[in-house]
Amino acid sequence: MDIQNEKLKTSLDIMEQTCTRLNGYQSIIFKKYKNSWEIQSIVERQLQQGIQACMDATMRLITLKNFGHPDEYVGLFDTLA
């Protein structure tokens, strides 16, 4: 497996792990979430990691398919579309 494929797999693994971790917080009611800085911190960090992994995976796909190189993150998904 080449380095780009390994990086893509790593990003996909991170997205899967993040979704699994976030599922554990799905049943928490909003009031409890809102009143707990600890829960907010955990959930927000997991969301950040998932979003970053999604952007990384998108960049790897663009690179693997030779679709060019977007100048900004906002162009990642437009490039794939």
Side-chain angles (χ1 to χ4, degrees), residues 24-65:
Y25 292 91
Q26 190 172 13
S27 63
I28 294 176
I29 61 171
F30 182 71
K31 184 176 180 180
K32 183 175 180 181
Y33 170 82
K34 187 178 176 183
N35 292 327
S36 173
W37 67 266
E38 294 99 340
I39 293 173
Q40 287 179 30
S41 294
I42 291 167
V43 169
E44 289 171 10
R45 180 63 182 139
Q46 289 303 306
L47 287 170
Q48 288 172 340
Q49 288 180 322
I51 291 165
Q52 185 63 53
C54 187
M55 291 188 309
D56 291 345
T58 303
M59 184 60 81
R60 305 270 185 270
L61 287 172
I62 290 169
T63 300
L64 287 169
K65 297 295 184 180

Side-chain angles (χ1 to χ4, degrees), residues 59 62-63 66-72 76 79:
M59 184 60 81
I62 290 169
T63 300
N66 296 315
F67 289 158
H69 190 351
D71 294 330
E72 299 176 352
L76 288 176
T79 302

